[in-house]
Amino acid sequence: MTRTLVLDDVTKAFPTGTVALEEVSLSVSAGEFVSVVGPSGCGKSTLLRLASGLDEVSGGDVEVNATSTSYVFQEPTLLEWRSALRNVELVGELRGVPKLERRRRAREALDLVGLSGFEKQHPRQLSGGMRMRVSIARALVAEPDLALFDEPFGALDEITRLRMQTELQSLFALKSFAGLFITHSVSEAVYLSTRVVVMSGRPGRVVADIPVPWGYPRTPELRYEPEFGALVGEVSAALGEHS
Amino acid sequence: MSTAAVHQPTAHPENRTAPQEAHVTSTATPAASSTVASAETPAAGSVPPSGPTPRAGSGRAAGRRRLAGAVAKVGPLLAAVAGIVAVWYVVTYLVLSPERRFLLPPLHQVLGTTLGNPLVMGPMLDALWQTVGVALCGLAIAVVLGIGYAVVMVQSGWAERILYPYAVILQTIPILALTPLIGIWMGYGFSARIVVCVIIALFPMIANTLFGLQSASPAAHDLFTLNRATRAQRLFKLQFPAALPSIFTGLRNAAGLSVIGAIVGDFFFQQGSPGIGGLLRTYTLRLNMDSLFMAIILTALFGVAMFSVFAALDRAVIGRWYGRSGA
Ligand SMILES: Nc1ncnc2c1ncn2[C@@H]1O[C@H](COP(=O)(O)OP(=O)(O)OP(=O)(O)O)[C@@H](O)[C@H]1O
Ligand SMILES: [Mg+2]
């Protein structure tokens, strides 16, 4: 199995003096979906920015073995003047994919997230959950080897959030990219992931790396199983000890 | 005309988020932008989400609603005009004694002596036409220069730091302090009038465009960075579209200011065919009160027309831009 993302002893200190991450080592392979949970401000977003190359490490190494990396932001970050379809197309446009090809792929991606029929709607005409779906479609349209998610469901209501989790894990089952997913929610991390990484408070360090045994696709009912509850408890305990 | 009167309506340097720009101030945060948009045009919220399904029978109701909307829009304006006319007559007949009544002749007399008389109206309309030309010309130049200047400024932090002060200086020097110099340098004709117009209309274009170009969220910029967007792609696919609402706000303000600039230019630079501002001065010197008031009415109508046209353009373009006018 190729290791798509490798963080080796990564440290990040900002010019302001804040040490956000300290000696973090973490790897994500193809077919792995790794969630990172940790207290607010422990450097989770910083971790993603380093992994994506948006920001540079102060120490250690980042190795990415991917031809295409995608990033889903906490906010949908759609261009309001573009329709849903044209928002998804943007990625192909920037990368120079021919128009017909990128349009076809954008339609497929929207279809995949259950938005066929909404291609021409503008972001303002969509609900919060639908906007996030467009954002995910935009991330998946480039067939990423590595997909990074920064708390994408944080702003959604509980019902929408659970539905989006179900959809995301089935998309993962379908596409099997290497996924790195930031979240505040322990049950979300357990439900989605093959592994849950727990970080300590700032400066962020990896304090636990807990494997999740179930395969994909996962049913929504998995959340009510006692084993699921036990694993949520284990992650919460690791989180509690170090925050 | 005092300096203060000329300068009051322009956007103040610190006031880059003044009320007239309210609908763009929060485009920087994606979360806030949707609410801001609906605040800007209350109609946005009431548009049914899927546009192209008007049911039969709702046509007449929609027509009535549109009529009611037009009345609601025009009604206050008509009421304001009626109020001004009423005050006018009160001052003419109840405040001024008959021997001082020439200071404010009654409206029907103003209209009567001017509208029916081609010897008065002919030159006045010619002059107005001349001023419209100067204003539109000055506005066009100000738009091109203003947008260009802002685009250059947004290219880097130091470009903005170096260039912005010039814009502020241009804005803070009272135009009346510059007009004599412009006359000496440019002569007292058409081009000097346009220069005054450009100077006065330029700042809102620069400030609003710059503000708009900078309004795209950091996350949107990250998205472009992650996809290795070129500078041109970033400008034309992100910054420029994001700036469009504030560019139109700037255009609306600049349009109003270009009218003032053109009239101030007319007033001072009298070579060549006179503009309406030139006639204002002539009528004043001759104490030709009826014509003076008619000329004032014409300039007011011109100002209102310019503002309304650009406000309507603003609404139409921005509405389409954000997909409001149906899918
Ligand atoms: N550009 C920056 N300059 C200076 N300090 C920064 C910068 N970005 C982040 N930080 C600091 O680094 C720390 C980690 O920030 P980060 O955004 O990664 O946290 P987080 O775990 O994502 O928090 P949250 O869960 O609230 O999103 C914080 O203390 C933050 O103040
Ligand atoms: Mg964060």
Side-chain angles (χ1 to χ4, degrees), chain B residues 283-318:
Chain B
Y283 297 145
T284 311
L285 293 176
R286 294 189 196 146
L287 272 185
N288 188 346
M289 297 306 274
D290 290 349
S291 298
L292 179 60
F293 275 103
M294 192 59 207
I296 291 174
I297 290 172
L298 284 183
T299 55
L301 289 179
F302 175 35
V304 169
M306 279 287 263
F307 188 85
S308 313
V309 164
F310 283 98
L313 193 68
D314 183 4
R315 275 196 304 277
V317 171
I318 301 310

Side-chain angles (χ1 to χ4, degrees), chain B residues 40-67:
Chain B
E40 203 258 318
T41 52
S46 61
V47 170
S50 50
T53 55
R55 265 159 283 114
S58 70
R60 191 179 299 169
R64 209 176 304 137
R65 215 177 313 122
R66 208 170 305 135
L67 186 69

Side-chain angles (χ1 to χ4, degrees), chain A residues 40-46 74 150-151 182 184:
Chain A
S40 184
C42 75
K44 303 183 296 297
S45 298
T46 305
Q74 177 152 6
D150 192 356
E151 291 188 55
I182 307 294
H184 270 125

